[in-house]
Amino acid sequence: MKVLVATDKPFAAEAVSGIRNAVEKAGYELVLLEKYIEKQQLLDAVADADAAIIRSDIFDKEVLDAAKNMKIVVRAGAGFDNIDLDAATANNICVMNTPGQNANAVAELALGLAVYAVRNLYNGTSGTELMGKKLGIHAYGNVGRNVARVAKGFGMEVYAYDPFLSAEAIEKEGVKAVKSAEELYATCQFVSLHIPATAETKNSINYSLLSKMPKNALLINTARKEVINEAEIVKLMEERKDFKYVTDIMPGNNAEMAEKFASRYFSTPKKMGAQTAEANTNAGIAAANQIVDFIENGNEKFRVNKK
Ligand SMILES: NC(=O)c1ccc[n+]([C@@H]2O[C@H](COP(=O)([O-])OP(=O)(O)OC[C@H]3O[C@@H](n4cnc5c(N)ncnc54)[C@H](O)[C@@H]3O)[C@@H](O)[C@H]2O)c1
């Protein structure tokens, strides 16, 4: 069984050695194609591979059609729009991603942004603390759950809203479940966003919802920029001098926000939540383990394409 690691931007050495361990332990062979220049190199490499681990590498129809023995392709990471899912299905190839492997990295960044905000962007003035404050987690998925764990370490009181989970599932982790987004925002001085961008969530973080937040409110966004109603957050922050916003996804109106709300608005220059050595290593090793589990046991838990 040949497992190809095809990475235009290579994994760290530590990740490659973890992948190699998992692959060789199963009795498979690891083939590395790193920093390739020509597409032909990729076409040649996939020709006799049974499985592939990739990052942002493009696996289009041409590559998938050339992969005659390929049974599974795993994107080490969350997004998989670099893979032609229909072409994979047509070639009877299972495609997976590795969700959750970057969740701790994003959670640490979210709480780091919160500290930065309540200390007035480290501008030398006196700030406030997180301890004892109410934090609302909007969507209790992989990242939200990790934010809850870290926030409890800060001594925060943690609430969550997720319509796809039962209150019991949330409360067994020591987090208070609320019944609506409105209730979450009305209860919590701090809200951390972890919703996906869907038809329902796009533009849903708007004036009406945010204006329910208590005094000295802070919104933390490490989710998606599309979920924010950008014009309405400007209106709200113009009206409420006590409202702060920090984000890992630069909004379209970043220049306007930075100019108008200098000491209570911050955006990272580029999305960096998942950009840690550990997250990349975890995703690579998870990909290798998922390949072994698929080949040995037929486990398709993280499959993202149709059969
Ligand atoms: N900043 C970064 O670098 C970075 C990295 C990874 C993920 N993300 C983003 O973080 C967000 C969460 O990622 P994740 O890995 O936790 O995803 P996840 O799929 O594990 O969790 C998403 C959660 O959202 C819930 N949900 C769906 N629709 C909802 C709605 N309308 N209202 C409330 N909850 C809803 C789901 O039930 C699920 O629990 C996504 O938007 C993702 O794009 C950002």
Side-chain angles (χ1 to χ4, degrees):
M1 212 44 84
K2 252 187 199 174
V3 179
L4 170 71
V5 174
T7 47
D8 177 25
K9 292 199 184 86
F11 284 110
E14 204 182 291
V16 175
S17 92
I19 292 169
R20 184 181 296 285
N21 282 345
V23 167
E24 290 180 353
K25 201 169 139 210
Y28 307 166
E29 183 191 346
L30 185 82
V31 181
L32 268 184
L33 175 71
E34 294 179 328
K35 296 185 193 165
Y36 52 90
I37 301 154
E38 305 285 335
K39 188 174 189 184
Q40 191 58 46
Q41 293 173 272
L42 187 58
L43 293 171
D44 292 343
V46 295
D48 64 345
D50 297 281
I53 297 173
I54 63 175
R55 297 182 72 190
S56 298
D57 305 79
I58 309 296
F59 266 43
D60 58 12
K61 184 171 184 310
E62 190 186 4
V63 174
L64 291 159
D65 285 348
K68 297 287 176 226
N69 293 343
M70 193 70 77
K71 294 153 190 70
I72 175 168
V73 173
V74 184
R75 153 75 161 117
F80 44 83
D81 53 8
N82 49 322
I83 307 171
D84 184 332
L85 297 186
D86 293 335
T89 300
N91 283 292
N92 202 19
I93 297 170
C94 172
V95 178
M96 295 187 186
N97 65 349
T98 61
Q101 298 300 325
N102 55 20
N104 179 66
V106 182
E108 288 188 11
L109 186 99
L111 271 300
L113 286 173
V115 173
Y116 189 51
V118 296
R119 296 305 184 97
N120 305 322
L121 316 189
Y122 302 150
N123 69 359
T125 62
S126 177
T128 58
E129 300 181 19
L130 301 184
M131 191 161 79
K133 308 288 174 10
K134 292 183 170 124
L135 171 69
I137 297 191
H138 193 168
Y140 200 68
N142 285 302
V143 178
R145 200 169 278 131
N146 275 276
V147 170
R149 175 179 54 76
V150 181
K152 281 189 256 169
F154 274 100
M156 300 188 86
E157 214 182 308
V158 185
Y159 292 73
Y161 170 63
D162 193 316
F164 299 100
L165 289 175
S166 67
E168 296 77 61
I170 294 173
E171 298 205 331
K172 77 174 193 310
E173 297 186 6
V175 172
K176 295 179 184 109
V178 298
K179 292 190 176 58
S180 65
E182 287 71 20
E183 185 183 350
L184 189 77
Y185 286 69
T187 307
C188 299
Q189 180 189 342
F190 293 71
V191 171
S192 191
L193 279 174
H194 305 292
I195 41 178
T198 62
E200 190 195 341
T201 63
K202 278 186 188 158
N203 274 317
S204 67
I205 309 306
N206 56 21
Y207 183 88
S208 140
L209 191 60
L210 294 172
S211 50
K212 297 193 173 5
M213 290 179 75
K215 202 164 164 35
N216 296 325
L218 171 66
L219 179 69
I220 308 148
N221 183 10
T222 56
R224 296 289 293 265
K225 82 179 207 177
E226 304 92 312
V227 301
I228 304 280
N229 186 317
E230 293 181 354
E232 294 192 13
I233 202 168
V234 172
K235 173 170 145 65
L236 179 96
M237 288 180 72
E238 278 173 339
E239 286 174 21
R240 278 186 59 172
K241 306 280 181 257
D242 66 316
F243 195 101
K244 293 180 176 169
Y245 177 44
V246 282
T247 178
D248 185 35
I249 306 92
M250 189 176 279
N253 61 350
N254 176 59
E256 179 190 8
M257 296 283 285
E259 196 197 319
K260 285 190 169 151
F261 314 118
S263 62
R264 52 196 176 95
Y265 163 78
F266 172 77
S267 171
T268 53
K270 128 180 212 278
K271 194 163 115 181
M272 19 190 319
Q275 301 306 320
T276 66
E278 291 86 345
N280 288 334
T281 301
N282 293 346
I285 294 172
N289 287 330
Q290 285 172 215
I291 286 173
V292 174
D293 201 16
F294 172 76
I295 299 209
E296 300 300 320
N297 311 311
N299 188 342
E300 297 193 357
K301 181 168 173 204
F302 297 108
R303 182 173 190 133
V304 294
N305 65 325
K306 295 199 185 89
K307 280 200 178 186

